[in-house]
Amino acid sequence: MKLAIKLAFRNLIGAGLRTWLNVIVLSFSFVIIIWLKGVMSGWDQQAKTDMTNWEIGGGQYWHEAYDPYDPFTFSDSHSPIPGEFRSEIEKGDMEPYLISQGTIYPQGRIQSIMIKGINPKQSIFMLPAHKLDTVMTDAIPSIIGSLMARNLKAGIGDRVTIQWRDNQGTFDAAEILITEIFTVSVPAVDQGQVYIPLDRLQSMMGLEGEATILTYRNSETPVVDVPGWTHRPKEVLTAQVDEMIKMKTTGQSVLYAVLLLLAMLAIFDTQVLSIFRRQKEIGTYVALGYTRRQVVGLFTVEGAMYAVFAALLSAAYGLPFLAWQAKAGWTMPVDASDFGMAIAQTLYPVYSAGLVVSTVLLVLLVTTVVSYWPSRRIAKMNPTEALRGKIQ
Amino acid sequence: MIKFLFKGLIRDKSRSRLPIIVVAVGVMLTVFLHAYIVGFMGDTIETNARFSTGHVKVMTRSYSDNMQQIPNDLAITGISSLLNDLDREFPGFEWSPRIQFGGLVDAPDETGETKSQGPALGFGMDLLSGGSREPERLNLQKSLVRGKLPDSPGEILLSETFSRKLKVNLGERVTLISSTMFGGMAIHNFVIAGTLLFGQEGLDRGTIIADIEDVRMALDMKDATGEILGFFRDGFYNDDLALSEADRFNASYSSVSDEFAPIMKSLSRQGGMGTYVNLAKGWSTYISLIFIFAMSLVLWNAGLLGGLRRYGEVGIRLAMGEEKGHVYRSMIIESVMIGIIGSVFGTILGLSFAWLVQEYGINISGMMQGSAMLMPEVIRARITPPDFYIGFLPGIAATVIGTMLSGIGIYKRQTARLFKELEA
Amino acid sequence: MKTILILILSTCFLITASAQDADNILNRVERNMSSDNRIFESSMIIHGNRVSRIITSRTYAVGDKQSFTEYLSPAREQGTKMLKLENQLWIYSPSTDRTIQISGHMLRQSLMGSDLSYEDMMDDRKITEIYDSKVVGTETIDGRNTWILELTAKVSDVAYHTRKMWIDTERYVPLREELFAKSGQLLKRTTLSEVNQIDGRWFPMKVVYKDVLKQGLGTEFIIISVKFNQSIPDHIFTKAALKQ
């Protein structure tokens, strides 16, 4: 066996360009298998990524009365921001939201909305909250999502009347001025939502210093038990999406299998050809006293060695590439022409160390099998004919 | 010449069989993968279509402007004739009227007074007419937690969570309080036939489903409906077709200025689905392109190797006095033929596999106990027009380029040294 | 300097005087408009998107706290009854034979698709208890002289922070009312007309409610007949009466 490995190594190196072509192609398939699988998982994870970036951050504390599915709870779900969180909020690692129910009147139509007070200087969410940071006396600066904008038939710079009831139930109304429209794939952040500066909403509601939801940036933030507030860790908030992802993972395995077949094809062709081309060599081996099993072994080892070389080569450029991709993501501009606004979505490939290791092992296994398979023909060869190169 | 080369290919199995197999397998994988990715990524689109948007939706103009409010006072009337028109003019769709409505569900105690109540989101759809595909579309049977689907008028389905919240059981009576199409008060009794799991918290909170005729009666919507959903008969969303069909429909009403005139909207023109459709389209194209690129490398390599392999043969031909250019051209023509044959076989094979996975799907529901309405049950491939040609790109181009590259060597060889080479 | 001081003092005096006047005016309006009990038949005209509907009903009311309404037409609403006791509301529907309590946030819903919410009928506090009022001017509406009263909430749990009322200076009947948001934005306008004298009091027989932010024609409320100081049996204001 040791000899076989040595010999296989020499044969491959000796073949020069042809070997490297194969190795390069195979190493490409390594990286592409892992990367594409990662991208597809990333697509499944996208809902979660977007939720994190736009809605839930690293996790949240909810006022105990708050129920996102029952807008009627909003009027009771607020209380002063607990002192425990002061330092985090000052650092910008936690952001309070105040939520209130209201009504908007676009062109005399009537529509219920959720008015969300948000800190214009926040950096946890991807919401363009900085656009709220303007001084305006005759209207409330506000940002809305593109779906909402379409519903309202309103654009940047438009004014719309909103109506709400303060914490005593007294009606109040004012105009909002839309300072920015954003596009997001999380409907909960867009549909029926109007964002205005937090302090403005607090004073409108008569709820200075109060909030409904506190969102923290880092999911590893230690949990604090605060009376009146319920901690909602990220995994609870994304439970539904996680369930969906779990389901879809099965579907991913089909994709993975197809990608593996790609690698298989790459090596299969090489092996069949090399056996055909190297008949004389095989004949020589047999003439030299190699058993047929040893010859088959040699060719199998050669095939597997392609995979080893390819794995090494892939590691050299693939690992940095994959790591960079996971961090930077893959951004595709999509022309969301239905609203005439181009949006860019970034997919973050998701791959685990397990995926990398198992892919390498699987490809190695597949290559070995695929190399062995055509090599069996060797066993059937008549050595004299092989020596003369007469086998078709 | 072509005939001659073709005969050569057929007779010399070693020249044709393996390269064709390799190209065919490569093309098959490409076609299958593309169809699979399109199906996989479009899954969310189909779920949305079945549940709320349809592939296209017909409603009144005002309803469409206020869709978020579920404004049944803006419902479409005279729908039996409209449905006839739709069936006649747009036979590519299956048409299903649905009524969405909001309201309050109230459960009585023994004396008939309010025991418990809660806000509800309701769906009225065809459950009883027989031959309706709505229950299947929404996977109602499998999403049942308790009881059965309604089989007679006056029966209703509640989400399991809602039924527990209201503390009601199968066979009990609940009252729906809502508004009629004309704004009046609608109060109607239903008997609970079964409970459902939707798998999405918002819907599980308070959703009810009843037969559309019952809902019409409850909401005073005779011959009316909130929306008419259209589904492509092959069951898959086709954005271009949906858009053009919608335009065709809307053109016939363009001269009507009535706010109650019907309007057809494709799935991509409803809510946030447009963005999603574009994203899914974009990403599946990109991912497929990357795969095609990888596959091209493999096939290119195969073509290259195939050319190198025939080193000896080319030598003999040159030695016999064949012109270099002629040898080169004939090899390229051969590779084109191999590419075409391989791609055709591969495309046929790929399409067949994709078709199997499209028709039967890959069942992924085994991972969960019970089944929820909004959870995907099977993942299906989805054959789209590009699948018919997408494989030819790596199949032909890559093979030919590989051969071209390897063939360059032909020009480097000197006739004088050929026999020497051949002796070796 | 002196003149300025006098001016300020007199303005203060004027304001106090007019505040008293305003309260007096409102009390007289109150005496005119409310009664120990009344029975009236009315129709409500609701202008919907498609059709206008006319809903007629007969209402029995005692003071401001108890009322019982039975709907007479159209056919779909006929027999529907509504009972209000203090701040509770029940609806009975004959087709389902159910008595349903409307509570909490359901009260903010529109009443039969009108521009009125259930809640609008529920606030039964005296207007002078919850608003400070002053006369801010006069105006002639349809040939009637009116005082314009501006009412500002003195308690915080009130739906409308400010109101403006146009009161007929002779008959002590409001002819117009506007309801404002805290910001001063006009939200709703009520127009009262066809003031008739019934049992010695002046009473507007037609009221139009309009949500000014919303498009539409508003809701008309027309009193067909009204009788004051009748004897209404107590059992009418019980849930048992709903089913009869």
Side-chain angles (χ1 to χ4, degrees):
Chain A
M1 190 64 187
K2 212 172 153 190
L3 184 70
I5 292 174
K6 222 178 197 171
L7 205 57
F9 184 76
R10 284 219 187 122
N11 283 343
L12 289 192
I13 297 294
L17 181 67
R18 199 146 36 83
T19 302
W20 294 118
L21 270 178
N22 282 323
V23 167
I24 287 169
V25 167
L26 197 57
S27 91
F28 267 138
S29 22
F30 261 124
V31 177
I32 284 176
I33 288 172
I34 296 171
W35 184 61
L36 274 189
K37 175 76 164 52
V39 168
M40 288 302 282
S41 305
W43 168 260
D44 279 353
Q45 298 270 350
Q46 195 61 26
K48 202 171 160 178
T49 316
D50 285 343
M51 254 178 109
T52 307
N53 289 340
W54 289 87
E55 199 184 359
I56 58 168
Q60 297 181 318
Y61 289 89
W62 288 5
H63 185 271
E64 57 187 357
Y66 175 68
D67 175 355
Y69 298 106
D70 185 357
F72 296 140
T73 61
F74 298 171
S75 54
D76 305 318
S77 50
H78 50 79
S79 54
I81 298 166
E84 286 92 327
F85 299 129
R86 190 171 305 138
S87 74
E88 267 183 275
I89 290 175
E90 274 165 13
K91 274 188 284 175
D93 288 334
M94 184 181 265
E95 288 297 345
Y97 257 0
L98 180 64
I99 300 176
S100 157
Q101 208 198 354
T103 324
I104 195 159
Y105 294 89
Q107 305 105 35
R109 289 180 291 140
I110 178 167
Q111 203 171 321
S112 358
I113 48 164
M114 231 185 193
I115 308 172
K116 278 188 179 158
I118 173 176
N119 173 13
K121 297 197 167 61
Q122 65 84 25
S123 62
I124 292 182
F125 309 104
M126 283 169 77
L127 290 165
H130 58 278
K131 294 278 186 181
L132 298 174
D133 206 2
T134 54
V135 182
M136 218 177 274
T137 47
D138 61 333
I140 306 167
S142 69
I143 55 173
I144 57 173
S146 55
L147 290 179
M148 185 66 184
R150 192 158 27 145
N151 270 342
L152 299 178
K153 299 198 171 126
I156 294 173
D158 285 354
R159 287 162 183 261
V160 194
T161 304
I162 59 167
Q163 183 189 293
W164 67 95
R165 302 180 84 157
D166 71 7
N167 66 329
Q168 298 285 352
T170 305
F171 280 106
D172 205 347
E175 274 191 335
I176 55 165
L177 174 73
I178 299 165
T179 55
E180 181 68 314
I181 295 172
F182 56 86
T183 304
V184 60
S185 62
V186 188
V189 178
D190 183 337
Q191 252 157 8
Q193 316 284 311
V194 170
Y195 297 83
I196 65 171
L198 176 66
D199 50 356
R200 199 80 185 246
L201 182 60
Q202 285 171 334
S203 73
M204 278 155 59
M205 297 297 294
L207 297 171
E208 277 76 6
E210 300 203 7
T212 308
I213 294 180
L214 304 163
T215 309
Y216 49 87
R217 187 189 303 274
N218 192 338
S219 55
E220 269 101 60
T221 310
V223 177
V224 189
D225 200 15
V226 195
W229 294 81
T230 323
H231 179 238
R232 295 261 154 177
K234 192 172 169 181
E235 57 271 21
V236 169
L237 294 168
T238 59
Q240 231 162 271
V241 182
D242 287 337
E243 192 77 13
M244 190 74 89
I245 293 171
K246 215 173 85 193
M247 294 283 283
K248 289 212 162 179
T249 311
T250 323
Q252 296 272 8
S253 50
V254 172
L255 184 91
Y256 192 55
V258 171
L259 291 168
L260 280 179
L261 285 175
L262 169 90
M264 197 182 92
L265 190 65
I267 207 77
F268 177 75
D269 187 42
T270 315
Q271 272 312 96
V272 174
L273 284 182
S274 63
I275 286 162
F276 181 81
R277 264 181 66 87
R278 289 159 64 188
Q279 286 176 33
K280 284 186 189 169
E281 189 188 329
I282 293 166
T284 317
Y285 285 132
V286 177
L288 282 173
Y290 265 64
T291 64
R292 282 173 184 153
R293 272 188 57 189
Q294 277 171 319
V295 180
V296 171
L298 175 70
F299 274 75
T300 311
V301 170
E302 255 184 50
M305 204 169 271
Y306 278 124
V308 175
F309 284 177
L312 291 175
L313 183 65
S314 311
Y317 71 92
L319 287 180
F321 168 76
L322 294 174
W324 167 74
Q325 271 288 298
K327 218 172 131 234
W330 184 23
T331 304
M332 180 189 61
V334 168
D335 172 33
S337 52
D338 47 334
F339 199 65
M341 231 198 297
I343 66 157
Q345 193 188 40
T346 305
L347 259 184
Y348 297 91
V350 177
Y351 15 69
S352 53
L355 174 69
V356 176
V357 173
S358 61
T359 305
V360 171
L361 290 179
L362 263 173
V363 172
L364 199 62
L365 183 75
V366 166
T367 349
T368 313
V369 172
V370 169
S371 311
Y372 167 74
W373 193 24
S375 312
R376 284 174 320 161
R377 275 185 61 175
I378 297 169
K380 293 183 200 139
M381 281 183 185
N382 180 333
T384 34
E385 301 226 316
L387 254 176
R388 289 166 58 200
K390 281 258 171 89
I391 293 175
Q392 282 297 315
Chain B
M1 161 107 161
I2 288 176
K3 210 172 165 188
F4 169 75
L5 289 174
F6 188 69
K7 270 190 182 157
L9 278 180
I10 293 197
R11 293 193 182 146
D12 181 358
K13 291 270 162 47
S14 75
R15 237 198 293 174
S16 60
R17 197 171 59 192
L18 185 69
I20 288 180
I21 288 177
V22 170
V23 171
V25 171
V27 169
M28 176 192 87
L29 291 179
T30 310
V31 171
F32 177 78
L33 185 107
H34 183 257
Y36 189 73
I37 284 183
V38 171
F40 190 80
M41 297 194 113
D43 183 74
T44 309
I45 295 174
E46 296 304 333
T47 307
N48 264 285
R50 286 194 301 273
F51 206 80
S52 72
T53 60
H55 290 145
V56 294
K57 190 191 271 184
V58 177
M59 57 217 141
T60 65
R61 286 176 193 168
S62 315
Y63 187 99
S64 141
D65 282 344
N66 296 284
M67 226 182 327
Q68 296 308 314
Q69 315 291 113
I70 347 178
N72 279 321
D73 51 335
L74 306 171
I76 326 177
T77 49
I79 61 147
S80 38
S81 76
L82 179 60
L83 277 173
N84 279 336
D85 289 351
L86 285 170
D87 279 335
R88 197 180 54 241
E89 299 287 329
F90 297 88
F93 295 97
E94 277 177 55
W95 297 101
S96 282
R98 281 195 202 163
I99 300 173
Q100 282 193 55
F101 55 96
L104 189 74
V105 169
D106 182 291
D109 59 14
E110 312 78 62
T111 61
E113 282 188 39
T114 298
K115 171 175 79 176
S116 53
Q117 55 178 225
L121 174 69
F123 293 89
M125 59 186 68
D126 183 3
L127 300 176
L128 299 178
S129 78
S132 163
R133 290 195 52 201
E134 294 281 80
E136 176 198 340
R137 225 169 252 143
L138 292 180
N139 200 15
L140 290 182
Q141 189 66 50
K142 288 191 178 156
S143 312
L144 272 179
V145 180
R146 293 185 285 155
K148 58 172 179 59
L149 296 185
D151 52 18
S152 52
E155 292 188 324
I156 197 169
L157 297 166
L158 261 67
S159 70
E160 172 67 16
T161 322
F162 196 32
S163 76
R164 286 180 192 278
K165 185 177 142 198
L166 296 176
K167 300 189 192 70
V168 290
N169 283 308
L170 301 183
E172 287 180 7
R173 193 176 60 147
V174 289
T175 308
L176 166 74
I177 301 120
S178 183
S179 353
T180 68
M181 181 165 94
F182 305 100
M185 200 183 298
I187 303 182
H188 200 85
N189 282 338
F190 286 100
V191 173
I192 302 169
T195 64
L196 296 167
L197 178 67
F198 289 84
Q200 201 233 37
E201 201 187 346
L203 286 166
D204 276 321
R205 273 303 179 79
T207 302
I208 55 176
I209 294 182
D211 181 56
I212 193 161
E213 283 306 327
D214 282 335
V215 175
R216 283 192 178 122
M217 202 142 70
L219 306 184
D220 200 7
M221 293 178 72
K222 197 162 176 248
D223 201 27
T225 189
E227 31 197 66
I228 302 173
L229 274 58
F231 296 93
F232 284 116
R233 291 198 183 270
D234 67 1
F236 289 105
Y237 182 62
N238 175 340
D239 194 35
D240 296 331
L241 189 57
L243 285 169
S244 67
E245 290 289 82
D247 284 345
R248 183 158 75 87
F249 179 86
N250 296 334
S252 59
Y253 287 94
S254 58
S255 57
V256 187
S257 60
D258 183 5
E259 61 168 328
F260 295 112
I263 183 170
M264 189 187 288
K265 284 203 165 180
S266 67
L267 173 143
S268 57
R269 290 274 188 271
Q270 297 176 47
M273 286 314 290
T275 313
Y276 193 89
V277 167
N278 280 329
L279 285 175
K281 241 193 226 169
W283 282 117
S284 46
T285 311
Y286 275 54
I287 290 173
S288 305
L289 283 179
I290 299 285
F291 185 83
I292 289 173
F293 170 72
M295 186 51 81
S296 300
L297 275 181
V298 170
L299 295 182
W300 170 78
N301 192 35
L304 194 60
L305 291 174
L308 291 178
R309 201 188 118 222
R310 290 168 64 183
Y311 197 76
E313 178 205 324
V314 170
I316 294 175
R317 283 166 68 179
L318 289 177
M320 281 161 62
E322 203 175 330
E323 225 179 296
K324 280 180 179 170
H326 189 264
V327 176
Y328 191 55
R329 277 196 302 276
S330 74
M331 278 181 71
I332 288 172
I333 294 173
E334 266 182 42
S335 73
V336 170
M337 286 197 242
I338 286 171
I340 291 177
I341 297 170
S343 300
V344 169
F345 274 120
T347 301
I348 292 172
L349 278 174
L351 286 174
S352 326
F353 278 119
W355 182 82
L356 283 176
V357 180
Q358 171 173 311
E359 287 304 299
Y360 300 102
I362 292 167
N363 198 318
I364 54 170
S365 63
M367 301 185 62
M368 258 178 66
Q369 289 178 326
S371 167
M373 197 178 293
L374 289 178
M375 281 286 177
E377 268 244 303
V378 283
I379 287 190
R380 292 174 192 281
R382 162 82 206 277
I383 297 174
T384 48
D387 293 327
F388 290 89
Y389 56 80
I390 202 165
F392 285 79
L393 192 73
I396 298 176
T399 315
V400 172
I401 292 173
T403 313
M404 281 163 102
L405 274 176
S406 67
I408 290 175
I410 294 173
Y411 287 95
K412 289 188 184 153
R413 292 167 83 173
Q414 285 159 355
T415 326
R417 289 185 56 196
L418 280 173
F419 283 98
K420 225 172 168 90
E421 275 180 30
L422 288 171
E423 276 165 20
Chain C
M1 186 65 202
K2 209 176 177 182
T3 36
I4 294 172
L5 196 68
I6 290 171
L7 203 70
I8 292 172
L9 276 174
S10 56
T11 331
C12 289
F13 177 74
L14 264 177
I15 289 167
T16 1
S18 61
Q20 268 179 4
D21 279 353
D23 270 1
N24 278 335
I25 294 166
L26 286 174
N27 281 331
R28 290 209 46 188
V29 171
E30 186 97 16
R31 257 177 287 158
N32 190 31
M33 301 281 289
S34 61
S35 57
D36 288 346
N37 69 57
R38 61 201 167 275
I39 302 172
F40 61 89
E41 266 186 48
S42 61
S43 57
M44 189 157 67
I45 305 171
I46 300 165
H47 300 285
N49 277 312
R50 249 175 240 279
V51 288
S52 294
R53 290 178 302 136
I54 303 176
I55 297 168
T56 59
S57 60
R58 185 185 298 119
T59 301
Y60 304 82
V62 169
D64 287 323
K65 311 275 185 202
Q66 298 180 327
S67 81
F68 178 94
T69 302
E70 179 175 2
Y71 289 90
L72 308 172
S73 74
R76 217 186 141 86
E77 324 282 359
Q78 192 186 355
T80 300
K81 293 166 193 161
M82 208 181 282
L83 172 67
K84 177 205 164 211
L85 297 176
E86 303 272 334
N87 51 2
Q88 287 184 294
L89 184 71
W90 290 272
I91 289 174
Y92 172 79
S93 101
S95 63
T96 55
D97 192 27
R98 286 287 321 276
T99 305
I100 290 149
Q101 184 168 13
I102 306 291
S103 61
H105 292 275
M106 265 299 280
L107 291 170
R108 293 188 175 180
Q109 302 288 315
S110 142
L111 169 71
M112 298 213 162
S114 67
D115 280 21
L116 286 164
S117 69
Y118 295 106
E119 197 184 44
D120 287 337
M121 324 186 315
M122 302 294 286
D123 200 347
D124 46 22
R125 289 178 293 186
K126 265 195 162 168
I127 212 160
T128 44
E129 284 170 17
I130 49 178
Y131 288 99
D132 282 324
S133 53
K134 63 179 181 194
V135 178
V136 292
T138 56
E139 198 181 325
T140 308
I141 297 177
D142 291 335
R144 306 292 312 175
N145 289 327
T146 61
W147 290 299
I148 306 173
L149 268 63
E150 196 174 272
L151 287 72
T152 312
K154 56 183 172 188
V155 292
S156 52
D157 60 330
V158 52
Y160 302 98
H161 181 254
T162 41
R163 296 174 166 208
K164 254 186 185 174
M165 287 172 99
W166 282 256
I167 312 276
D168 188 317
T169 53
E170 280 173 50
R171 298 166 173 175
Y172 290 95
V173 169
L175 295 181
R176 185 190 295 163
E177 186 180 14
E178 289 180 346
L179 305 172
F180 295 88
K182 240 161 69 175
S183 63
Q185 163 93 45
L186 174 62
L187 298 176
K188 284 179 180 162
R189 180 181 291 126
T190 312
T191 317
L192 303 92
S193 56
E194 292 171 27
V195 181
N196 289 354
Q197 198 165 27
I198 297 160
D199 295 345
R201 47 173 100 223
W202 289 99
F203 205 79
M205 303 298 272
K206 182 177 175 186
V207 186
V208 178
Y209 298 93
K210 174 81 183 79
D211 183 336
V212 296
L213 295 179
K214 209 168 83 177
Q215 40 177 223
L217 296 167
T219 300
E220 291 170 48
F221 191 80
I222 295 163
I223 307 268
I224 300 165
S225 67
V226 56
K227 288 179 195 150
F228 297 100
N229 303 319
Q230 301 292 305
S231 61
I232 302 172
D234 283 346
H235 76 82
I236 283 213
F237 302 108
T238 59
K239 279 193 269 176
L242 286 170
K243 286 200 173 196
Q244 281 161 11

